[in-house]
Every structure is written in C-alpha cells, then in structure tokens.
Amino acid sequence: LTCFSFYIPTQTMTRKTPSACTILLVAFLAIATTCISYTDALSKSSTTYSTGKAHRHKHNTLNRADFLRETLLVAATAAASTTVPSIANAAAPIKQEDNKTTKLTNLSNADLAAILTRDVTDHQFLVSADITRAIYDEGATFTDEIDTYTMDKWVVGTKRLFVAEKSRVSLVGDVQVAEDGSKAEFRFDEDLMFRIPFLYPVVSLTGKVVLERDLNTGLITSYREFWDQDVATVLKSAKFRT
C-alpha cells in the first residue's frame, strides 16, 4: 500500500453529521483506490496459486489486491454506519535495505532456529518484514494464502500493508528444524492491522510457516504460510477502530 503523509483533525464525527461523514467516506474511498492500484501492480508481478481445499474461499487465485478490495468493502459498509474514528499519524517512509547482504551460509540447525525465533518474537517479521536477510537466498519466494512474491516485493508490500506497531505476532511453541536441515517450521498466532486510513481494520488468524533450505548453502529458498482459517473467515474476523 502507498504511504500517506497528511493530517486529519482528531475530532470525532458521528451519524448526527451526515454531510461530514459523507465527505470523509468519499475521501476514504479515494485513498482506497490508490491502495488498490499499488496491490494490483504487486499482484501482477507475482504468481497466484490454488490451495485446492474444499472449504477455501470461492476465489482460489485471490491475490492481495482482491483481498484488500474485500476488506475495503466491509470497511466502507462499517464507515457508513458507525462512528468515524480519529486518524493516526501517517506512516514513516520505508527505508529500503541493501540487497548486497553478506550471507550466513550453512548455519547449524540450532543457530538457524535461534535467528528465526528472534525474528518472530523480537522483530515481529510477519507484519514488519524485518527479516534477517542474510539467511535467505536472494531468489527466495514468499507465499501466503493470497499470493506468491519475490523477497523484495514481499518486504515492501508487507511494510506498506500492515501497521506493525499495532499488530501482534506470537510464536506458538518452538521453531522446529528438520534433522537433515532441509526445512524449518513454526506456528504463529497473530492480529494484523491493515494500513487503511480512518478504520485500520484488524483481522486475527493462526497458522504455520514452512521454510525450505538449499542443502548446499543452507540458505532459505522458500517461505510459505499456511492459515488454519480460510480467507473468508479471516475477513469476517475484522474489527474496526471506534
């Protein structure tokens, strides 16, 4: 999502002032259009896939743009019928990380598990994208239940999509690394706040992440999220600031 750099007064508007609410809602939808244009560009550069589960959402190749559209539809409905909240300060510009990171090759299973644990618990990387890039191959792909991305696309998109400081990611159990070092995995429980102005919806979900490694270098070549809930259920869990 694109970053926003404007100020909105913190006064509260209610249904008793319909004209003001209408203006605010129009502004919200205009900004949402900009958000969608970014996610459209992101999704066109990534590879969609079908999960194949019978209970999965009706759009098997739902990408982040589609996911955001559905979230915005729910958000717009809520905005028309509830109190409009005060607006948080705009997000700070994103600092791009140098891609020429010295790689940490052939780490022991224990060292890899320690780094991943720190990235989940301290860095909250599922919502902040603050990964230890040195343990990833530069060609690594990142896949969630929505889409598949290159590492750079995932990092930039995740930082712009979520408000990391208002989200929560908890590690459930320990990071497990296969004895042969071929993969690592862990379970998570998270509340995700979307960077959608005015409403900042929060959705909750649980699941696991599986990370596959190159046996020659020990670097992670594939990141994949598996959600316990389908996309429709995640959307229905959305809560809005009041």
Side-chain angles (χ1 to χ4, degrees):
L1 299 179
T2 52
C3 292
F4 306 98
S5 57
F6 56 85
Y7 172 80
I8 302 292
T10 58
Q11 65 195 43
T12 301
M13 311 232 178
T14 69
R15 283 181 291 178
K16 294 181 180 180
T17 56
S19 58
C21 282
T22 299
I23 293 172
L24 197 55
L25 182 57
V26 170
F28 163 71
L29 292 175
I31 294 170
T33 300
T34 303
C35 296
I36 290 172
S37 67
Y38 174 84
T39 51
D40 272 330
L42 177 61
S43 63
K44 286 178 182 177
S45 65
S46 57
T47 305
T48 57
Y49 71 97
S50 173
T51 62
K53 296 181 180 179
H55 68 283
R56 191 60 65 195
H57 190 267
K58 64 181 179 180
H59 298 298
N60 288 333
T61 56
L62 189 73
N63 58 37
R64 278 195 176 184
D66 297 326
F67 183 75
L68 181 58
R69 284 191 184 95
E70 295 202 19
T71 303
L72 289 172
L73 179 61
V74 176
T77 302
S81 59
T82 62
T83 299
V84 179
S86 59
I87 307 303
N89 289 335
I94 293 173
K95 181 180 180 181
Q96 298 295 331
E97 185 176 356
D98 186 354
N99 290 346
K100 298 179 181 179
T101 305
T102 300
K103 299 300 181 181
L104 298 175
T105 58
N106 299 311
L107 289 174
S108 68
N109 291 352
D111 286 343
L112 178 65
I115 291 173
L116 290 171
T117 298
R118 181 189 65 199
D119 281 358
V120 176
T121 59
D122 297 344
H123 298 167
Q124 300 279 286
F125 88 95
L126 271 68
V127 291
S128 69
D130 291 337
I131 58 175
T132 300
R133 192 165 185 137
I135 65 175
Y136 291 85
D137 186 280
E138 286 301 312
T141 57
F142 287 69
T143 303
D144 56 21
E145 295 281 29
I146 309 300
D147 219 332
T148 297
Y149 321 90
T150 63
M151 180 157 54
D152 286 336
K153 293 291 185 182
W154 182 84
V155 169
V156 174
T158 298
K159 284 181 178 291
R160 289 178 174 168
L161 188 62
F162 303 118
V163 182
E165 62 274 16
K166 297 293 185 179
S167 300
R168 175 195 61 82
V169 179
S170 298
L171 180 63
V172 179
D174 298 323
V175 174
Q176 304 292 331
V177 182
E179 188 174 347
D180 64 0
S182 61
K183 67 178 181 178
E185 63 180 79
F186 61 86
R187 290 194 58 77
F188 64 85
D189 177 356
E190 61 186 5
D191 298 318
L192 309 175
M193 176 179 281
F194 287 91
R195 198 181 299 281
I196 300 175
F198 309 128
L199 294 175
Y200 295 95
V202 177
V203 300
S204 301
L205 64 139
T206 59
K208 70 176 181 178
V209 170
V210 177
L211 303 145
E212 296 182 359
R213 303 171 76 191
D214 183 309
L215 291 179
N216 292 321
T217 64
L219 297 176
I220 295 170
T221 57
S222 172
Y223 164 106
R224 183 162 183 176
E225 289 181 25
F226 296 89
W227 297 356
D228 294 334
Q229 303 82 16
D230 60 27
V231 175
T233 300
V234 172
L235 286 174
K236 290 177 183 177
S237 75
K239 297 180 178 62
F240 303 94
R241 294 175 54 173
T242 57

PDB file of all heavy atoms in Angstrom, residues 117-130:
ATOM      1  N   THR A 117      13.598 -17.532  15.658  1.00  0.00           N
ATOM      2  CA  THR A 117      12.858 -17.220  16.885  1.00  0.00           C
ATOM      3  C   THR A 117      12.943 -15.738  17.195  1.00  0.00           C
ATOM      4  O   THR A 117      11.938 -15.094  17.531  1.00  0.00           O
ATOM      5  CB  THR A 117      13.420 -18.030  18.072  1.00  0.00           C
ATOM      6  OG1 THR A 117      13.245 -19.427  17.808  1.00  0.00           O
ATOM      7  CG2 THR A 117      12.698 -17.675  19.365  1.00  0.00           C
ATOM      8  N   ARG A 118      14.133 -15.176  17.072  1.00  0.00           N
ATOM      9  CA  ARG A 118      14.316 -13.743  17.315  1.00  0.00           C
ATOM     10  C   ARG A 118      13.533 -12.912  16.302  1.00  0.00           C
ATOM     11  O   ARG A 118      12.911 -11.902  16.658  1.00  0.00           O
ATOM     12  CB  ARG A 118      15.807 -13.389  17.229  1.00  0.00           C
ATOM     13  CG  ARG A 118      16.117 -11.911  17.504  1.00  0.00           C
ATOM     14  CD  ARG A 118      17.569 -11.619  17.176  1.00  0.00           C
ATOM     15  NE  ARG A 118      17.821 -11.788  15.746  1.00  0.00           N
ATOM     16  CZ  ARG A 118      19.039 -11.967  15.232  1.00  0.00           C
ATOM     17  NH1 ARG A 118      20.093 -12.056  16.021  1.00  0.00           N
ATOM     18  NH2 ARG A 118      19.200 -12.091  13.927  1.00  0.00           N
ATOM     19  N   ASP A 119      13.539 -13.335  15.040  1.00  0.00           N
ATOM     20  CA  ASP A 119      12.827 -12.577  14.009  1.00  0.00           C
ATOM     21  C   ASP A 119      11.320 -12.566  14.259  1.00  0.00           C
ATOM     22  O   ASP A 119      10.646 -11.576  13.987  1.00  0.00           O
ATOM     23  CB  ASP A 119      13.122 -13.152  12.618  1.00  0.00           C
ATOM     24  CG  ASP A 119      14.480 -12.716  12.083  1.00  0.00           C
ATOM     25  OD1 ASP A 119      15.165 -11.933  12.774  1.00  0.00           O
ATOM     26  OD2 ASP A 119      14.860 -13.166  10.986  1.00  0.00           O
ATOM     27  N   VAL A 120      10.789 -13.689  14.772  1.00  0.00           N
ATOM     28  CA  VAL A 120       9.346 -13.757  15.048  1.00  0.00           C
ATOM     29  C   VAL A 120       8.994 -12.977  16.307  1.00  0.00           C
ATOM     30  O   VAL A 120       8.102 -12.125  16.305  1.00  0.00           O
ATOM     31  CB  VAL A 120       8.864 -15.220  15.190  1.00  0.00           C
ATOM     32  CG1 VAL A 120       7.384 -15.247  15.565  1.00  0.00           C
ATOM     33  CG2 VAL A 120       9.089 -15.989  13.897  1.00  0.00           C
ATOM     34  N   THR A 121       9.694 -13.248  17.391  1.00  0.00           N
ATOM     35  CA  THR A 121       9.311 -12.681  18.685  1.00  0.00           C
ATOM     36  C   THR A 121       9.755 -11.239  18.875  1.00  0.00           C
ATOM     37  O   THR A 121       8.993 -10.407  19.377  1.00  0.00           O
ATOM     38  CB  THR A 121       9.875 -13.543  19.836  1.00  0.00           C
ATOM     39  OG1 THR A 121      11.313 -13.596  19.721  1.00  0.00           O
ATOM     40  CG2 THR A 121       9.321 -14.948  19.771  1.00  0.00           C
ATOM     41  N   ASP A 122      10.971 -10.917  18.479  1.00  0.00           N
ATOM     42  CA  ASP A 122      11.504  -9.567  18.690  1.00  0.00           C
ATOM     43  C   ASP A 122      11.211  -8.634  17.522  1.00  0.00           C
ATOM     44  O   ASP A 122      10.817  -7.489  17.715  1.00  0.00           O
ATOM     45  CB  ASP A 122      13.019  -9.611  18.929  1.00  0.00           C
ATOM     46  CG  ASP A 122      13.384 -10.366  20.195  1.00  0.00           C
ATOM     47  OD1 ASP A 122      12.477 -10.592  21.030  1.00  0.00           O
ATOM     48  OD2 ASP A 122      14.563 -10.740  20.355  1.00  0.00           O
ATOM     49  N   HIS A 123      11.416  -9.127  16.316  1.00  0.00           N
ATOM     50  CA  HIS A 123      11.240  -8.285  15.132  1.00  0.00           C
ATOM     51  C   HIS A 123       9.826  -8.323  14.568  1.00  0.00           C
ATOM     52  O   HIS A 123       9.498  -7.500  13.709  1.00  0.00           O
ATOM     53  CB  HIS A 123      12.240  -8.693  14.043  1.00  0.00           C
ATOM     54  CG  HIS A 123      13.672  -8.530  14.449  1.00  0.00           C
ATOM     55  ND1 HIS A 123      14.713  -9.088  13.731  1.00  0.00           N
ATOM     56  CD2 HIS A 123      14.248  -7.875  15.493  1.00  0.00           C
ATOM     57  CE1 HIS A 123      15.860  -8.785  14.321  1.00  0.00           C
ATOM     58  NE2 HIS A 123      15.601  -8.054  15.387  1.00  0.00           N
ATOM     59  N   GLN A 124       9.008  -9.299  15.009  1.00  0.00           N
ATOM     60  CA  GLN A 124       7.633  -9.407  14.505  1.00  0.00           C
ATOM     61  C   GLN A 124       7.616  -9.415  12.973  1.00  0.00           C
ATOM     62  O   GLN A 124       6.835  -8.720  12.317  1.00  0.00           O
ATOM     63  CB  GLN A 124       6.795  -8.239  15.039  1.00  0.00           C
ATOM     64  CG  GLN A 124       6.692  -8.174  16.555  1.00  0.00           C
ATOM     65  CD  GLN A 124       5.632  -9.121  17.107  1.00  0.00           C
ATOM     66  OE1 GLN A 124       4.438  -8.872  16.988  1.00  0.00           O
ATOM     67  NE2 GLN A 124       6.085 -10.211  17.723  1.00  0.00           N
ATOM     68  N   PHE A 125       8.479 -10.213  12.374  1.00  0.00           N
ATOM     69  CA  PHE A 125       8.730 -10.073  10.938  1.00  0.00           C
ATOM     70  C   PHE A 125       7.548 -10.432  10.048  1.00  0.00           C
ATOM     71  O   PHE A 125       7.492 -10.011   8.885  1.00  0.00           O
ATOM     72  CB  PHE A 125       9.977 -10.875  10.533  1.00  0.00           C
ATOM     73  CG  PHE A 125       9.747 -12.319  10.163  1.00  0.00           C
ATOM     74  CD1 PHE A 125       9.584 -12.684   8.835  1.00  0.00           C
ATOM     75  CD2 PHE A 125       9.721 -13.311  11.138  1.00  0.00           C
ATOM     76  CE1 PHE A 125       9.393 -14.019   8.478  1.00  0.00           C
ATOM     77  CE2 PHE A 125       9.534 -14.638  10.791  1.00  0.00           C
ATOM     78  CZ  PHE A 125       9.364 -15.002   9.467  1.00  0.00           C
ATOM     79  N   LEU A 126       6.583 -11.175  10.552  1.00  0.00           N
ATOM     80  CA  LEU A 126       5.430 -11.490   9.715  1.00  0.00           C
ATOM     81  C   LEU A 126       4.616 -10.243   9.375  1.00  0.00           C
ATOM     82  O   LEU A 126       3.902 -10.222   8.371  1.00  0.00           O
ATOM     83  CB  LEU A 126       4.525 -12.532  10.380  1.00  0.00           C
ATOM     84  CG  LEU A 126       4.863 -14.004  10.086  1.00  0.00           C
ATOM     85  CD1 LEU A 126       6.193 -14.397  10.719  1.00  0.00           C
ATOM     86  CD2 LEU A 126       3.751 -14.925  10.566  1.00  0.00           C
ATOM     87  N   VAL A 127       4.703  -9.204  10.208  1.00  0.00           N
ATOM     88  CA  VAL A 127       3.981  -7.958   9.921  1.00  0.00           C
ATOM     89  C   VAL A 127       4.919  -6.786   9.642  1.00  0.00           C
ATOM     90  O   VAL A 127       4.524  -5.809   9.011  1.00  0.00           O
ATOM     91  CB  VAL A 127       3.032  -7.567  11.075  1.00  0.00           C
ATOM     92  CG1 VAL A 127       1.887  -8.545  11.166  1.00  0.00           C
ATOM     93  CG2 VAL A 127       3.778  -7.471  12.396  1.00  0.00           C
ATOM     94  N   SER A 128       6.166  -6.891  10.108  1.00  0.00           N
ATOM     95  CA  SER A 128       7.120  -5.790   9.906  1.00  0.00           C
ATOM     96  C   SER A 128       8.038  -6.024   8.714  1.00  0.00           C
ATOM     97  O   SER A 128       8.643  -5.077   8.195  1.00  0.00           O
ATOM     98  CB  SER A 128       7.985  -5.615  11.160  1.00  0.00           C
ATOM     99  OG  SER A 128       8.877  -6.718  11.316  1.00  0.00           O
ATOM    100  N   ALA A 129       8.159  -7.288   8.280  1.00  0.00           N
ATOM    101  CA  ALA A 129       9.079  -7.689   7.203  1.00  0.00           C
ATOM    102  C   ALA A 129      10.534  -7.459   7.584  1.00  0.00           C
ATOM    103  O   ALA A 129      11.409  -7.433   6.719  1.00  0.00           O
ATOM    104  CB  ALA A 129       8.752  -6.979   5.888  1.00  0.00           C
ATOM    105  N   ASP A 130      10.822  -7.286   8.878  1.00  0.00           N
ATOM    106  CA  ASP A 130      12.194  -7.100   9.345  1.00  0.00           C
ATOM    107  C   ASP A 130      12.866  -8.463   9.505  1.00  0.00           C
ATOM    108  O   ASP A 130      13.061  -8.972  10.610  1.00  0.00           O
ATOM    109  CB  ASP A 130      12.210  -6.332  10.670  1.00  0.00           C
ATOM    110  CG  ASP A 130      11.773  -4.886  10.504  1.00  0.00           C
ATOM    111  OD1 ASP A 130      11.883  -4.364   9.373  1.00  0.00           O
ATOM    112  OD2 ASP A 130      11.311  -4.279  11.491  1.00  0.00           O
TER     113      ASP A 130
END
